[in-house]
């Protein structure tokens, strides 16, 4: 049981006190409204509403907040706010988000470690609902089946969330306890003197499924949540005359179907049955390495090693040396699931596809061929009960993947900025027999969610810059 009391975060608010945000934050936090940074020492969060803040104030507001390790919230960030942030932290996110949470990790061994959480007023998702029926073994009742049995764009799958109603206090806590830089192990932290930096990007999504065409599910809903934490470790390979840059990205993605809509004999779901994580870069740099590999076994092992030619302190001096950045091994259980590593080495696209394989093998029996294999999901003949899927199909599921790229000195001398795009795909399915559908047919219904790309642009030179390092 959650405690009945929770310490409210101390929030310094810069912006119009007549806004909806201010009223919401008064309930969720201990809030103080100031035009500048007065009172920042006592605050945990500095909230800057860009809609009512003058652009020339951005830098004097943002830099002290980040330098002191506070959580910075940029609400309704505009182009000038994003640029001011980029000038300070060496990276930039795509414009058009509803809010950004940013913080600097003061405990990191590098002076260049920041975490960014991207928030949107409503989920930035492409959502498609699909509905197909099986070949029934006996004539259905007189009631006709619905005519729409082809994939359709669904507008009912998502209930949009009003940003002012978010639990901001919980989100501050989640950001503070997030991947800074815990997504990635100690093997990625180099010896003293190596020029490197860390940038963390977090994306979270929530939606509510609504199924109205089956009698068993009418009036019922199912919330879902999914999201990712990605840490980008950037290293300057200055052990040679012209420095290349290596980026190692470690991602943890979590998918949760929450409480299933229905678990009756005549209808069950929505179960998660596949998800895909993908990261690309805009410079066509090839992949150095990826992990985990394709497998149907459990546990799943993620491990990667990348040798780097760098300078670091040794025997009282700064000399060129080889050092290997190592991630893992990390093991995760995936009983009843498989993994396909679909990365393209030459294209630089890192892609992993996780899928259910027991008792429903999605590879052998894809949902859009339900008319062929439908009987395998029911027990007891025509109208038999719907089978259960494995436990991971109905519970929170976290996966990890890691990938590495090298950007040549000539490539970076032409343009220091590299943009990475993160995309997730998430699919869930429900099954019903004729009693559950109410239309005389066995049917499958599934939803496909795909996120719009979350982008992070890294100025790799700025991210790895450390004026205090003797190994420049």
């Amino acid at each position: 049981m959650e405690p009945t009391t929770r310490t409210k975060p101390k929030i310094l608010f810069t912006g119009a006190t007549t806004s909806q945000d201010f009223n919401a934050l008064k309930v969720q936090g201990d809030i103080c409204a100031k035009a500048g940074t007065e009172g920042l020492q006592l605050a945990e969060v500095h909230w800057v509403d860009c809609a009512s803040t003058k652009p020339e104030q951005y830098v004097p507001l943002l830099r002290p907040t980040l330098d002191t390790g506070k959580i910075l919230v940029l609400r309704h960030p505009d182009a000038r706010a994003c640029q001011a942030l980029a000038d300070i932290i060496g990276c930039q996110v795509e414009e058009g988000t509803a809010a950004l949470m940013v913080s600097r990790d003061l405990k990191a061994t590098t002076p260049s470690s920041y975490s960014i959480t991207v928030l949107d007023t409503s989920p930035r998702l492409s959502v498609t609902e699909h509905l197909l029926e099986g070949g029934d073994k006996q004539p259905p009742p007189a009631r006709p089946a619905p005519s729409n049995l082809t994939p359709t764009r669904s507008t009912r799958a998502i209930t949009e969330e009003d940003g002012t109603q978010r639990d901001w206090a919980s989100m501050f806590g989640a950001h503070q306890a997030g991947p800074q830089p815990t997504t990635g192990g100690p093997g990625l932290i180099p010896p003293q003197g190596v020029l490197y930096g860390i940038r963390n990007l977090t994306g979270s999504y929530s939606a509510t499924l609504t199924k109205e065409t089956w009698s068993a599910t009418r009036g019922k809903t199912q919330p879902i949540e999914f999201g990712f934490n990605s840490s980008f470790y950037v290293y300057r390979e200055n052990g040679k005359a012209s420095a290349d840059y290596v980026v190692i990205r470690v991602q943890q993605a979590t998918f949760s179907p929450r409480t299933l809509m229905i678990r009756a004999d005549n209808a069950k779901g929505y179960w998660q049955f596949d998800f895909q994580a993908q990261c690309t870069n805009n410079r066509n740099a090839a992949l150095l390495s990826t992990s985990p590999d394709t497998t149907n076994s459990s546990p799943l092992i993620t491990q990667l090693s990348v040798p780097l030619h760098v300078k670091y302190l040794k025997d009282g001096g700064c000399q060129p040396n080889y050092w290997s950045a190592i991630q893992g091994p990390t093991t995760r259980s995936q009983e009843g699931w498989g993994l396909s590593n679909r990365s393209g080495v030459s294209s630089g696209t890192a892609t992993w596809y996780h899928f259910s394989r027991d008792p429903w093998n999605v590879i052998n029996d894809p949902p859009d061929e339900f008319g062929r294999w439908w009987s395998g999901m029911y027990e007891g003949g025509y109208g038999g009960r719907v089978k259960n899927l494995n436990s991971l199909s109905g519970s929170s599921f976290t996966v990890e993947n890691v990938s590495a790229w090298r950007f040549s000195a000539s490539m970076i001398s032409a343009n220091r900025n590299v943009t990475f795009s993160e995309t997730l795909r998430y699919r869930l399915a429900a099954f019903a027999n004729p009693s559950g559908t109410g239309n005389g047919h066995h049917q499958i219904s599934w939803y496909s969610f795909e996120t719009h790309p979350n982008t992070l642009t890294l100025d790799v030179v700025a991210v790895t810059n450390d004026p205090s390092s003797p190994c420049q």
Side-chain angles (χ1 to χ4, degrees), residues 316-335:
C318 188
Q319 301 294 329
N321 292 281
Y322 283 94
W323 170 79
S324 290
I326 299 173
Q327 170 60 13
T330 302
T331 60
R332 294 186 182 274
S333 175
Q334 60 158 22
E335 292 293 340

Side-chain angles (χ1 to χ4, degrees), residues 67-110:
D67 286 348
T68 53
K70 311 295 184 180
I71 296 177
L72 169 68
V73 177
L74 287 179
R75 184 67 158 141
H76 311 113
D78 55 22
R80 291 184 65 175
C82 290
Q83 187 57 53
L85 180 65
D87 291 342
I88 296 171
I89 69 175
C91 65
Q92 188 167 2
V93 298
E94 185 181 18
E95 294 178 25
T97 60
L100 297 174
M101 284 196 292
V102 188
S103 61
R104 178 180 174 182
D105 184 5
L106 298 182
K107 297 179 182 178
T109 57
T110 170

Side-chain angles (χ1 to χ4, degrees), residues 292-300 334 337-341 355 357:
D293 295 326
T294 297
T295 182
N296 283 328
S297 65
S298 184
L300 191 65
Q334 60 158 22
W337 282 66
L339 168 69
S340 176
N341 185 335
F355 57 92
R357 62 180 181 86

